[in-house]
Amino acid sequence: MAGTPRTLPFLLSSLFLAIASYCYYHYSHYPQMTTAPLPQTATKGSVLNFSLTPSEIGQLVDTLIARGKKIQDDVAAQTNPTFASVIVPLAMRENNQGADYSVATFLQNVSTDKDIRDASTAAEEKLDAFEIESLMREDVYKVVRAVFDNKEEMAKLDAEDLRLVTKIEMQYRRNGLALPKEQRGRLGDIKKRLSELGIKFSRNVNEGDGRETFTREELEGLPADFFVDRPTEVVDGVTKYVVTTKYPDLFPALRLAKREETRKRLSVAEGQRCPENIDLLQEAVGLRLEAARMLGYSTHAEYVLEEHMAKTPKEVLDFEHDLRERLTVLGLKEVEEIEELKRADKRAVGEEYTGLFSWDFRYYTNLVKERKHNISDEEVKQYFPMKEVTRGILDIYQRMLSLRFVKVENPPVWHEDVDMYEVWEATEDKFVGHFYLDLYPREGKYNHAAVWPIRAGYTKPDGSREYPVAAMVANFPKPVGTTPALLKHDDATTLLHELGHVFHGICSITKWARFHGTSTETDFVEAPSQMLENWCWEPSVLAQFAVHYKTGEPIPDELVKRLVAAKNESAGLFNLRQVFFGLYDMAIHNTEDGKVDVKNLYTSLREEIGLFKNGDIDTWGSATFGHMMGGYDSGYYGYLWSEVFSADMFASRFQKEGVANASTGMDYRREILLPGGSRDASVSLEKFLGRKPNNKAFLKSIGLEA
C-alpha cells in the first residue's frame, strides 16, 4: 500500500496517509530511551534506538503517559491562559515525545521477535487509550478555548501559530468536548474501542498469510527464478511448491500462471484471509456512525471530510461517479479485447468459456500488454536490478532536491536488511535528516509498501532544529541464488513513489511537529509522490539506472519506447478498480442508518464496477482492505483525487521545463514539500502552479480527454 501510516497516537484526528505526524519542559529532564550513540560516520543529528526489549517498551510507554499527564495537568491549572502557557506546552509535548511514540509503536510492523511485536502492539493500544482520554479532558479544553476566543492574543500570532491554535481547538471540539458529560463518556469509549479494532485488524492482516501448494506443471508460465530456493512439500507422494499470498509470490503467479485453476486457487486463498476481520470492520462502521451522529453529523463521511480538500460527501461522490461513467466506456472496450483472448485460450483446450473472473484480471491485462506491445515483465526486469535502481532513484532525488545522501556503515537498525542514510544539503555543510530503507519481505513484517515518519522535524526553543527521520518499509523480490533482486517496472515506480513520501518528510521545515511533512490534507498527501512516478516513464531518466543485470548494458531505446507505449494499456479497468475501492468506502461510511453488510457489499460492488465476475466461491476481500481500518475511512477517494493535482504539477511545470531542471525542483521543494501542513494544500498548489489547479492533465493521463 502506498502511503504513510499513522504513527503518532496523540494526533488521532489525522488519517492514515496524512500523518503528522508551555511552560517548556527540557527533554533532558527525562530518560531519552530511544536515542543511541551516533555511528562513526554520522556527524550530526541524534540517532534513534530501535533495539528495545519488551520490558523497555513497556517502561517507555509508562514514562510517556506520566510525562503527558503532568503537562496536561499544568496546562489545565493556568489561571491566565495564553498561547505561551497553554498552546506551547501542548505542542512542545508533540514535538518532544513524537519519536518515542513512533519507535514504540513502529516495531510491531518490522521486528522478527514476536514478543517485541506483541509489546509494540500493546504499547499502541495503551498510548491510543491515553490520547483518547487526553482529548476528552474538559479542563484542558477550557483553557485552550479561552486562548482561541481571545482575539487580542490571537492577533499577535504568526500564520503557523494561528493555525496551531485553530487546529488544536478543532481537535478537542471534534472529540466531543462540547457534548454533555454522559455523551462524552460514551464517545471516549467508542474511540478506545475503534483503536483496539484497528490494531487487531492490522495485526491479523500482517500475520494471516494464506498459502497453497502446486506442482511445477500447475505453475506453468512462471519463470525459472520463481522456483529457486522456493520451499517445497510432499503432498500425497508428490513434491509441490509452496506459494504464499505475500506480494512477491502472489502477484507474479496471478500475472503469469497460465492455468486458470491455479490462479483461482491463489485468488481464493487471498480472498479468504482473516475472516475474523469482517466482524471487526462491521463493528467499526457502526461505531463510527454512532460517534458522528453524536457530534452532529449525518454520516461518518460528513464528519471526516470536513477537514479534507473535498469538504463534503457530495463532492466526493460526484467526482467518483463522473469518473466511473467515463471509465466504464473505456473499460468495456478493454473487456471485449480480453474476452477474445480468454475465449481463444478456452477453445485451445476444449473448454467452455464462462466469463471473466477476478483471478483473470492481472493475467489477461498483462497478456494484452505483451501481445499488443511485445513487452513482458520478465524481459523488462532484466534491466531493473534492485541495487542499480535504488542507486539511480536516490540520485534522481539528490539532483532534483539539491541534496546529498551518505550511507551509514554498521547502522543501529532493527534488522540486518535495513539500510540507513544521512541527508545533507548538496551545496553546503548542513545536515537535513535520516532515512531508513527496509525493502525485503520476512516473517511477521508489514506486508505492503509504506512510509513511517518516525520523527518530525520542528523548531526548538533556542531556534535550532530537530532533524526528521523517516522509514520506508516494502516487500520487493529478494535475490534468488546468484541472481540479484530484479524489479518489475511497477516495483521501480513504487520505490520512486514511496521515496517521495520519505523526502516530503525530510525536506519539510515547520515550527511544529503537528504540521511537518506529510501531515497535509489526506486527499492531497499522495499528490507529491504520484507526480514523481512520472520519472519512471521518462526515457532520459530510465537511461540513468536501467541496466542489464548481467552485462551492464543500458536498457535499449526500443524497449523503452514499447514500455512507454504500454503505459495506459487497460487504464480503464485499472482505474475502475480504484473507483470501486473509493465507492465501497463511501457506501459503508456515508450511510445514515448504518445498515450495510461490509462483506457482501464489497463483493457485489467489485463485480458491478470492476466488470469482472467474483466466481462461485465465497470470499471476503474487505477483511484485508487495510485502508478501512488504518485511517483511510472516508478517504480512499483521495488516491484518484490527488492524481488531479499530481498530473497538473507534472504537466504544467516539469514536463514543460524539464524533469532535470534544478530550478523547478527547488520550486517544488520550497512550495510543496517545505510547508508540509502548515498551510492549506490549495495555497501550496497555487504557488507552485502559478494558478488554480485543473483536471485536464489528469484526464489525459488516464486515457480520457477533458
Side-chain angles (χ1 to χ4, degrees):
M1 176 186 339
T4 49
R6 185 187 64 195
T7 60
L8 304 184
F10 48 79
L11 298 179
L12 290 171
S13 64
S14 299
L15 296 180
F16 193 80
L17 291 185
I19 312 166
S21 20
Y22 357 86
C23 312
Y24 173 61
Y25 289 80
H26 287 286
Y27 201 35
S28 59
H29 287 181
Y30 304 100
Q32 297 186 45
M33 294 185 67
T34 61
T35 302
L38 287 170
Q40 189 173 5
T41 57
T43 57
K44 200 167 188 180
S46 56
V47 176
L48 300 174
N49 174 25
F50 297 95
S51 300
L52 298 179
T53 65
S55 63
E56 287 173 336
I57 292 173
Q59 292 166 17
L60 177 58
V61 168
D62 292 340
T63 300
L64 289 168
I65 290 174
R67 212 185 283 174
K69 188 176 186 305
K70 174 70 166 59
I71 292 171
Q72 292 164 4
D73 289 345
D74 289 349
V75 164
Q78 295 299 309
T79 56
N80 180 31
T82 65
F83 178 79
S85 65
V86 172
I87 304 301
V88 168
L90 294 175
M92 287 303 298
R93 174 182 172 240
E94 295 178 358
N95 284 3
N96 293 334
Q97 296 186 1
D100 282 340
Y101 268 73
S102 297
V103 171
T105 58
F106 172 65
L107 289 170
Q108 66 186 283
N109 298 288
V110 295
S111 177
T112 56
D113 187 323
K114 188 177 185 301
D115 290 339
I116 291 175
R117 295 200 303 272
D118 289 344
S120 179
T121 300
E124 184 171 7
E125 292 173 349
K126 193 169 183 179
L127 289 168
D128 272 6
F130 173 68
E131 297 308 329
I132 290 166
E133 291 175 2
S134 298
L135 289 170
M136 302 295 288
R137 284 189 60 162
E138 187 176 9
D139 55 350
V140 177
Y141 179 57
K142 183 178 179 181
V143 292
V144 167
R145 182 74 196 201
V147 177
F148 179 78
D149 288 337
N150 187 332
K151 294 181 180 178
E152 184 178 345
E153 182 80 0
M154 295 286 276
K156 299 175 185 176
L157 304 179
D158 65 23
E160 188 171 341
D161 288 347
L162 186 64
R163 188 176 181 87
L164 178 69
V165 180
T166 302
K167 292 295 185 182
I168 289 177
E169 190 279 332
M170 179 184 287
Q171 187 176 26
Y172 277 101
R173 180 162 37 85
R174 282 169 58 84
N175 274 275
L177 269 297
L179 295 175
K181 188 173 183 179
E182 183 177 326
Q183 284 187 296
R184 289 203 305 271
R186 172 57 183 160
L187 187 62
D189 291 341
I190 288 174
K191 289 182 175 293
K192 288 178 183 177
R193 179 57 179 163
L194 284 170
S195 171
E196 293 170 1
L197 292 172
I199 291 167
K200 288 179 181 177
F201 189 102
S202 177
R203 185 66 178 270
N204 291 339
V205 172
N206 285 352
E207 298 188 351
D209 291 318
R211 68 196 297 277
E212 290 286 326
T213 58
F214 300 97
T215 64
R216 184 71 178 254
E217 291 72 26
E218 289 173 324
L219 292 169
E220 179 188 2
L222 275 296
D225 62 7
F226 185 82
F227 300 93
V228 177
D229 297 331
R230 179 162 298 280
T232 59
E233 291 181 1
V234 176
V235 180
D236 296 330
V238 178
T239 299
K240 296 188 175 184
Y241 292 91
V242 176
V243 182
T244 73
T245 55
K246 287 185 181 296
Y247 284 1
D249 283 9
L250 180 68
F251 287 170
L254 290 179
R255 194 176 65 254
L256 298 173
K258 292 184 176 182
R259 298 195 181 189
E260 182 175 1
E261 183 61 26
T262 297
R263 301 194 305 272
K264 180 179 179 179
R265 283 173 54 193
L266 270 174
S267 181
V268 169
E270 169 65 11
Q272 291 184 338
R273 288 204 296 136
C274 310
E276 64 275 19
N277 277 357
I278 292 296
D279 287 342
L280 303 185
L281 178 57
Q282 191 75 57
E283 183 181 351
V285 167
L287 290 174
R288 287 165 180 161
L289 176 59
E290 183 182 349
R293 296 295 294 271
M294 205 177 288
L295 290 165
Y297 300 88
S298 298
T299 69
H300 178 65
E302 186 179 297
Y303 166 75
V304 169
L305 293 169
E306 181 182 45
E307 292 193 297
H308 290 201
M309 295 182 78
K311 298 302 181 188
T312 68
K314 182 181 184 304
E315 193 76 17
V316 172
L317 289 168
D318 286 350
F319 172 75
E320 293 278 21
H321 287 308
D322 176 61
L323 271 182
R324 180 185 177 185
E325 184 178 347
R326 293 171 183 257
L327 289 166
T328 298
V329 175
L330 185 60
L332 287 171
K333 292 179 181 177
E334 293 165 352
V335 163
E336 288 179 7
E337 194 170 14
I338 288 172
E339 280 187 314
E340 285 305 309
L341 290 176
K342 187 172 182 182
R343 287 180 189 277
D345 285 346
K346 289 299 181 183
R347 283 196 299 269
V349 294
E351 294 179 5
E352 180 185 359
Y353 172 77
T354 56
L356 292 175
F357 297 92
S358 57
W359 51 83
D360 292 324
F361 180 81
R362 291 182 185 273
Y363 178 75
Y364 281 103
T365 53
N366 181 66
L367 196 59
V368 168
K369 183 178 69 174
E370 287 187 356
R371 295 194 179 180
K372 286 181 69 174
H373 302 283
N374 189 28
I375 194 167
S376 72
D377 286 335
E378 293 308 304
E379 176 189 16
V380 171
K381 77 178 187 180
Q382 311 301 313
Y383 293 92
F384 285 84
M386 184 74 192
K387 184 177 179 181
E388 290 303 313
V389 172
T390 303
R391 176 200 58 75
I393 289 177
L394 290 178
D395 283 348
I396 289 169
Y397 279 106
Q398 288 184 108
R399 290 192 298 272
M400 177 185 181
L401 302 175
S402 191
L403 296 171
R404 176 168 55 90
F405 306 148
V406 178
K407 189 173 181 179
V408 177
E409 299 299 327
N410 302 314
V413 292
W414 54 90
H415 189 271
E416 61 184 11
D417 286 349
V418 180
D419 290 327
M420 176 183 178
Y421 292 83
E422 296 176 350
V423 182
W424 296 78
E425 293 288 357
T427 57
E428 54 184 315
D429 189 30
K430 185 177 179 181
F431 185 72
V432 179
H434 290 122
F435 68 92
Y436 300 86
L437 300 181
D438 185 355
L439 302 179
Y440 302 111
R442 57 180 177 271
E443 192 68 29
K445 180 184 170 183
Y446 179 82
N447 55 16
H448 299 285
V451 171
W452 274 258
I454 303 292
R455 181 172 66 205
Y458 57 86
T459 302
K460 298 179 182 179
D462 64 3
S464 63
R465 295 288 301 167
E466 179 58 276
Y467 300 105
V469 176
M472 176 183 168
V473 177
N475 289 270
F476 294 123
K478 300 184 78 167
V480 177
T482 59
T483 303
L486 299 176
L487 302 181
K488 303 189 308 296
H489 182 263
D490 285 351
D491 293 329
T493 304
T494 296
L495 178 58
L496 203 141
H497 174 107
E498 296 300 339
L499 283 169
H501 290 306
V502 168
F503 296 115
H504 197 166
I506 294 296
C507 293
S508 180
I509 300 177
T510 59
K511 184 185 300 185
W512 303 109
R514 174 179 285 254
F515 299 131
H516 187 81
T518 53
S519 49
T520 66
E521 294 94 325
T522 303
D523 45 3
F524 173 74
V525 72
E526 291 293 334
S529 286
Q530 288 169 335
M531 186 201 71
L532 289 155
E533 293 178 20
N534 288 285
W535 271 246
C536 259
W537 298 98
E538 290 291 316
S540 63
V541 173
L542 291 175
Q544 297 171 30
F545 62 80
V547 297
H548 197 281
Y549 79 97
K550 287 183 178 178
T551 67
E553 291 294 314
I555 188 169
D557 292 342
E558 186 267 339
L559 178 55
V560 173
K561 288 178 182 177
R562 285 187 278 134
L563 186 65
V564 172
K567 179 182 180 182
N568 273 340
E569 200 59 61
S570 303
L573 291 171
F574 280 113
N575 285 291
L576 278 172
R577 185 171 179 269
Q578 290 295 85
V579 169
F580 151 64
F581 286 132
L583 285 176
Y584 171 75
D585 177 18
M586 294 303 289
I588 64 175
H589 289 124
N590 194 43
T591 169
E592 294 187 12
D593 59 15
K595 294 179 180 178
V596 292
D597 182 335
V598 300
K599 172 181 174 289
N600 291 322
L601 187 60
Y602 183 96
T603 53
S604 63
L605 283 178
R606 180 174 68 173
E607 183 169 305
E608 179 186 333
I609 298 170
L611 308 180
F612 280 64
K613 296 179 182 180
N614 291 313
D616 57 357
I617 299 179
D618 193 23
T619 58
W620 37 89
S622 55
T624 52
F625 190 10
H627 295 76
M628 295 302 93
M629 296 293 280
Y632 244 93
D633 43 291
S634 301
Y636 195 92
Y637 76 93
Y639 276 104
L640 284 175
W641 179 278
S642 59
E643 281 196 19
V644 171
F645 310 128
S646 69
D648 202 0
M649 286 191 290
F650 179 71
S652 300
R653 293 294 310 270
F654 286 100
Q655 198 168 41
K656 284 184 177 179
E657 298 164 19
V659 293
N661 188 309
S663 177
T664 309
M666 287 306 294
D667 282 351
Y668 170 77
R669 178 177 171 182
R670 179 175 59 254
E671 301 296 355
I672 300 296
L673 303 185
L674 185 147
S678 65
R679 66 188 185 193
D680 287 349
S682 59
V683 175
S684 296
L685 277 166
E686 287 184 36
K687 284 185 175 292
F688 181 67
L689 294 170
R691 57 165 172 77
K692 291 184 180 296
N694 62 58
N695 69 356
K696 293 179 181 177
F698 166 66
L699 293 174
K700 185 177 180 181
S701 73
I702 61 173
L704 303 171
E705 295 298 331

